[in-house]
Amino acid sequence: MLRRIRDRDWRPGDPIPNEADLAIEFGCARATVNRALRELAAAGVLERRRRAGTRVAPAPVGRAGMRIPVLHRDVVEAGQVYGHRLIAREVAVPPPEVAARMGLAAGVSALHALSLHLADDRPLAFEDRWIDPAVVPGILAVDFAAVSANEWLVENMPFSEGAMRIAAVPAGALAAGHLQVPEGTALLAVERTTWREGRAITHVAQMFAPGHWMQLDLVTG
């Protein structure tokens, strides 16, 4: 079906045959056709609407997946020496906006870690992270002074979904102090939430010192 869409046998906006006819044509179960249609719809290739049937999307697109940067690796690959400092760690109730992003009920605690990433002994990124221990078994026993939460989670906790926001923000007092910049300095901020089977793993805000860059890789299919 995807080949037919790419070859323009089925053009943008065209309705496609019904599931029963496709199952007969391809010699497979109707449930198999239904699953394939759902996957194509989730990838943005098809539009499925009740009563209106299934059509090729006006501008078919692929699904984009993000690679979460491991700052340790990125710094080393840039030819610099990586460093990491754990600033604070506690189990606490997150602010309402963080709890809402993670889908946590009011009053539910999570692991909170503040840290600083360095490149050649200069501040690179200030990280403010929340992790749900109920979703990440054993996380309370991990020594974040020895390995950053960023690195440990990427290597040990695969995610099924993710959302990311990028913005320029003024440095607050805490971030400014650790990044060694004046308060109010414009910083590149990357805010990210990842989920596993519908439950939030972590919510993190990383603020980068001026003069540094970061690479975000998107994989489409």
Side-chain angles (χ1 to χ4, degrees):
M1 288 188 285
L2 187 57
R3 179 187 58 77
R4 290 182 180 181
I5 293 169
R6 287 174 173 168
D7 291 346
R8 296 301 182 99
D9 294 333
W10 295 345
R11 301 181 66 82
D14 284 352
I16 70 169
N18 62 48
E19 292 180 8
D21 290 342
L22 289 171
I24 293 172
E25 180 181 355
F26 294 130
C28 62
R30 183 168 176 174
T32 302
V33 173
N34 180 269
R35 184 169 64 250
L37 293 176
R38 284 190 282 110
E39 290 179 0
L40 289 173
V45 176
L46 296 177
E47 289 184 346
R48 307 190 76 190
R49 298 180 182 177
R50 290 184 179 179
R51 299 192 179 94
T54 302
R55 294 178 179 270
V56 179
V61 297
R63 171 183 288 177
M66 64 180 178
R67 179 189 73 90
I68 295 180
V70 176
L71 297 183
H72 185 168
R73 296 177 194 164
D74 289 352
V75 168
V76 171
E77 288 175 3
Q80 299 173 299
V81 177
Y82 173 77
H84 170 258
R85 297 175 189 164
L86 179 64
I87 299 168
R89 171 186 172 135
E90 64 177 347
V91 174
V93 176
E97 61 273 16
V98 173
R101 292 293 298 275
M102 297 182 68
L104 298 176
V108 173
S109 296
L111 178 60
H112 186 210
L114 299 176
S115 58
L116 182 68
H117 301 270
L118 303 105
D120 285 345
D121 207 32
R122 293 171 50 224
L124 166 67
F126 174 75
E127 180 174 298
D128 186 342
R129 182 183 294 272
W130 292 86
I131 305 170
D132 187 352
V135 181
V136 188
I139 192 64
L140 295 178
V142 177
D143 182 4
F144 287 157
V147 58
S148 73
N150 166 237
E151 188 170 354
W152 191 93
L153 287 169
V154 170
E155 293 182 349
N156 294 277
M157 196 65 195
F159 65 97
S160 56
E161 300 172 72
M164 181 167 55
R165 296 192 299 183
I166 302 174
V169 301
L174 185 60
H178 287 288
L179 292 175
Q180 299 176 15
V181 296
E183 189 172 348
T185 299
L187 303 176
L188 170 68
V190 177
E191 191 174 288
R192 186 173 58 244
T193 308
T194 54
W195 292 268
R196 182 174 176 84
E197 298 177 354
R199 301 180 66 188
I201 298 169
T202 183
H203 175 78
V204 60
Q206 293 174 328
M207 284 150 280
F208 290 80
H212 290 284
W213 63 276
M214 69 171 297
Q215 178 173 320
L216 297 174
D217 294 332
L218 294 178
V219 180
T220 60

